[in-house]
Amino acid sequence: MLKIAAMDSYYGESRVIKSLDLNVEQGKITCLIGRNGVGKSTTLKSIMGVVKTPVGSIMLDGQEIVKMKTYDRAKLGIGYVPQGRDIFAQMTVQENLELGLQAVGGKGKVPDYIYDLFPVLPKFAKRKGGDLSGGQQQQLAIARALVAEPKILILDEPTEGIQPSVIQDIGDALQKINKMRGLTILIVEQYLDFVLEISDYLYVMEHGEIIMQGKTGLLDASQVQKVMTE
């Protein structure tokens, strides 16, 4: 589905990601974890074409996208929820959702299953996005990315600043859409318990490089925890 090979990423003249190899399998939930500042978000921004990637390859469904513009990558079927969510505060919940249709030329309508995944959204359809709680905004941001029915959903720190009950709701929704619709998901996270519960495959990053990887159920959770806390 998504295959990164020997990729370098730069902010200005500084190399942040060093010869990264990462594979996201079709229909799986893959998580990339690590402490603050190790390059996790930069990896996602590289996939979206937001930062410079002069070296390496990014393949989506066998198609090279490393030189494509960000909007062209989105049109190919990448749904992206950045850190901070980027909800339009002065627009209603419904208007925010309908913006997700821009990735498919503004055509169609919000799929009904999205309201089933996130039942809080139809209740607040006419409320401004800025009036929602952090957890509700995160659900709205994920739902908006799903509106265009992407091939792969990419999430940057979806549990950040959210209360545990809503984290559980988000985890349940992601697992449901993964199983029911076969959606491929890539998540950047720091909350290890969430990652261990939801993911099929896990990558651990340190200083812009992968230092540990494997099927989540086969990795030593205590070793992963040690990397996260050292």
Side-chain angles (χ1 to χ4, degrees):
M1 162 57 79
L2 180 69
K3 186 175 181 63
I4 299 172
M7 184 187 75
D8 288 356
S9 300
Y10 285 78
Y11 281 121
E13 299 303 314
S14 299
R15 186 172 70 160
V16 179
I17 303 298
K18 307 164 187 174
S19 195
L20 179 70
D21 293 325
L22 188 147
N23 185 41
V24 180
E25 287 189 32
Q26 174 77 41
K28 302 295 185 182
I29 299 178
T30 300
C31 287
L32 173 63
I33 69 169
R35 295 176 297 172
N36 271 332
V38 300
K40 304 186 306 299
S41 293
T42 302
T43 300
L44 298 192
K45 290 176 181 177
S46 301
I47 294 168
M48 294 309 300
V50 179
V51 299
K52 292 191 300 182
T53 52
V55 176
S57 170
I58 305 172
M59 303 284 288
L60 179 67
D61 271 352
Q63 181 174 356
E64 181 61 73
I65 66 170
V66 74
K67 295 188 183 301
M68 284 188 178
K69 300 292 186 184
T70 298
Y71 56 81
D72 287 328
R73 301 185 195 202
K75 286 179 180 178
L76 284 178
I78 303 178
Y80 175 50
V81 181
Q83 192 173 16
R85 301 180 276 274
D86 285 359
I87 290 300
F88 290 92
Q90 295 305 312
M91 299 178 71
T92 66
V93 166
Q94 188 64 29
E95 288 167 342
N96 268 281
L97 285 173
E98 289 170 354
L99 274 177
L101 294 169
Q102 294 304 309
V104 287
K107 299 175 183 178
K109 68 181 187 70
V110 178
D112 290 337
Y113 75 85
I114 288 177
Y115 297 119
D116 296 331
L117 279 176
F118 301 106
V120 70
L121 299 181
K123 294 178 185 177
F124 297 146
K126 296 182 179 179
R127 186 174 295 187
K128 288 185 177 180
D131 293 335
L132 301 181
S133 69
Q136 291 164 349
Q137 287 188 6
Q138 185 63 272
Q139 291 176 79
L140 174 56
I142 295 171
R144 184 178 61 188
L146 290 172
V147 163
E149 304 201 62
K151 296 177 182 177
I152 181 170
L153 178 66
I154 297 177
L155 306 170
D156 194 352
E157 302 276 10
T159 71
E160 186 178 43
I162 297 176
Q163 63 188 44
S165 62
V166 180
I167 290 174
Q168 185 65 52
D169 290 342
I170 289 172
D172 290 345
L174 293 175
Q175 287 180 304
K176 186 179 294 185
I177 195 171
N178 169 253
K179 287 179 172 60
M180 292 178 62
R181 302 185 73 86
L183 181 66
T184 305
I185 303 174
L186 172 61
I187 304 173
V188 152
E189 256 301 339
Q190 290 189 73
Y191 183 19
L192 185 56
D193 288 346
F194 177 79
V195 165
L196 293 175
E197 182 175 340
I198 196 173
S199 65
D200 298 301
Y201 201 90
L202 188 59
Y203 288 90
V204 183
M205 177 173 274
E206 185 72 30
H207 303 305
E209 300 177 287
I210 300 300
I211 61 167
M212 189 184 305
Q213 64 174 286
K215 292 182 178 180
T216 304
L218 300 180
L219 286 176
D220 185 337
S222 64
Q223 285 295 108
V224 177
Q225 180 68 50
K226 185 178 180 182
V227 171
M228 297 290 289
T229 56
E230 280 183 345

